Amino acid sequence: MRVVLIGDSSPSRVGVKANRPKAATVTRWAALPIIALASLAFLGMARSEELRLPLSPEQRQAIGEVVKEYLLQNPEVLRDASIELERRTEQMRKADQAKALTRYRSQLLSPRGSTIIGNPNGSKSLVAFFDYNCPYCRASVGDIQKLVDKNPELRVVLREFPILGPDSTATSRLALAVARETSDASLRARYYTSLMKTKGSMTGVLALSTATGMGLDEKKLKSDLKDPEIDAILRENFSAAEALGVNGTPAFVIGDQIIVGAVGVDRMQSALSAAKN
């Protein structure tokens, strides 16, 4: 699937479905034989004049041949090194996410440009990045409601994250216009649910029709769409998502955990139970 980022008319890098868990994604990490490439690079350096060691050309060539022979006879060394590299990379990724969470937590939990469902003053929070045209986001609506029903202290913050093209962006912009026109939390929650339950593609036109059907003023909504603040909110959401390493939908921030994909209510409840806030 090809996706378009807000404010960018060109397609994003890759849009595919993740195998585990299910999610609509912007990018996909691919395992590369980095260690093997590094080894070959080392062998090349061993034969290069740029390697400034007190060794003769014959000695450098001999070292390269020894290293090459060892790796050919013990290929498991490359495998073990690759596993270790992956482990360290994952550690670094989690450390970066922890720093980003500290930096962006207040923004993520803010009511600015978001729809709040559940307990607005709840002691525990769940932040959901979603796209109205993401089938996995739609599948997660029921899971989120089950969590709200089961956890009276849960405050759910819904963050617009339209990664699946112009229709998604137009819908998110209209939803933000609706947020400007009403402070009725129950109406905004019903509006979100209505859009997510729509069969087929959700567009800005359908989003506007749904809003007017709920009694909102069409002229005011269209006027709100001209306010640059709406696009500013979407840019803020994208910046936060990028910093957190979120590259697909749905994505959930629960405590100190970032979960990407439709993982199911049990997995999300487990994260909630472990979360401090």
Side-chain angles (χ1 to χ4, degrees):
M1 141 187 338
R2 299 175 70 83
V3 300
V4 178
L5 297 177
I6 177 68
D8 185 355
S9 60
S10 61
S12 66
R13 286 168 286 180
V14 181
V16 296
K17 292 190 288 185
N19 292 327
R20 273 195 327 269
K22 293 180 178 179
T25 60
V26 179
T27 61
R28 190 175 187 177
W29 289 83
L32 297 175
I34 299 175
I35 301 301
L37 293 175
S39 300
L40 292 175
F42 173 79
L43 293 175
M45 288 179 63
R47 293 190 293 270
S48 173
E49 294 299 327
E50 295 178 1
L51 186 60
R52 300 183 181 281
L53 294 176
L55 300 173
S56 67
E58 291 78 11
Q59 289 173 318
R60 289 197 294 270
Q61 182 177 355
I63 291 174
E65 290 175 353
V66 168
V67 172
K68 180 179 179 180
E69 181 180 359
Y70 178 81
L71 293 177
L72 289 174
Q73 292 181 359
N74 301 274
E76 65 276 6
V77 171
L78 297 177
R79 179 202 61 202
D80 294 343
S82 180
I83 292 173
E84 176 61 17
L85 177 62
E86 184 176 350
R87 184 188 69 80
R88 295 187 186 186
T89 300
E90 179 64 12
Q91 282 185 333
M92 293 176 63
R93 185 186 67 82
K94 289 183 177 180
D96 289 342
Q97 280 188 338
K99 292 179 182 178
L101 273 175
T102 299
R103 177 182 177 185
Y104 285 95
R105 193 177 297 278
S106 294
Q107 176 182 320
L108 292 173
L109 298 178
S110 170
R112 168 182 161 81
S114 63
T115 296
I116 308 295
I117 61 176
N119 185 343
N121 300 309
S123 58
K124 288 198 173 185
S125 298
L126 181 155
V127 179
F129 287 91
F130 71 97
D131 184 302
Y132 291 101
N133 282 308
C134 167
Y136 308 123
C137 298
R138 293 179 178 180
S140 295
V141 171
D143 291 340
I144 293 175
Q145 187 57 52
K146 289 177 182 178
L147 291 174
V148 168
D149 294 339
K150 186 176 180 180
N151 301 270
E153 287 299 311
L154 179 60
R155 177 178 185 263
V156 178
V157 183
L158 301 173
R159 288 268 161 220
E160 307 283 340
F161 191 45
I163 64 171
L164 298 179
D167 284 341
S168 293
T169 298
T171 303
S172 284
R173 296 185 78 253
L174 205 294
L176 290 173
V178 167
R180 293 169 66 92
E181 289 302 321
T182 178
S183 58
D184 186 337
S186 62
L187 187 151
R188 288 168 62 177
R190 285 190 289 111
Y191 180 69
Y192 157 79
T193 302
S194 295
L195 297 188
M196 294 298 277
K197 287 186 176 180
T198 300
K199 295 182 179 180
S201 297
M202 172 51 64
T203 67
V205 173
L206 286 175
L208 177 60
S209 175
T210 302
T212 56
M214 290 184 172
L216 295 172
D217 189 280
E218 181 175 348
K219 290 184 178 180
K220 289 183 178 180
L221 290 172
K222 289 183 175 180
S223 177
D224 289 332
L225 290 175
K226 300 176 183 179
D227 191 334
E229 186 70 4
I230 284 182
D231 288 328
I233 291 173
L234 290 180
R235 285 194 296 270
E236 289 172 8
N237 288 350
F238 271 88
S239 294
E242 181 179 7
L244 294 171
V246 171
N247 56 20
T249 55
F252 308 98
V253 179
I254 305 175
D256 294 329
Q257 296 189 51
I258 299 174
I259 303 171
V260 179
V263 297
V265 67
D266 291 340
R267 172 71 178 85
M268 295 167 72
Q269 180 61 60
S270 177
L272 272 175
S273 299
K276 295 181 180 179
N277 51 48

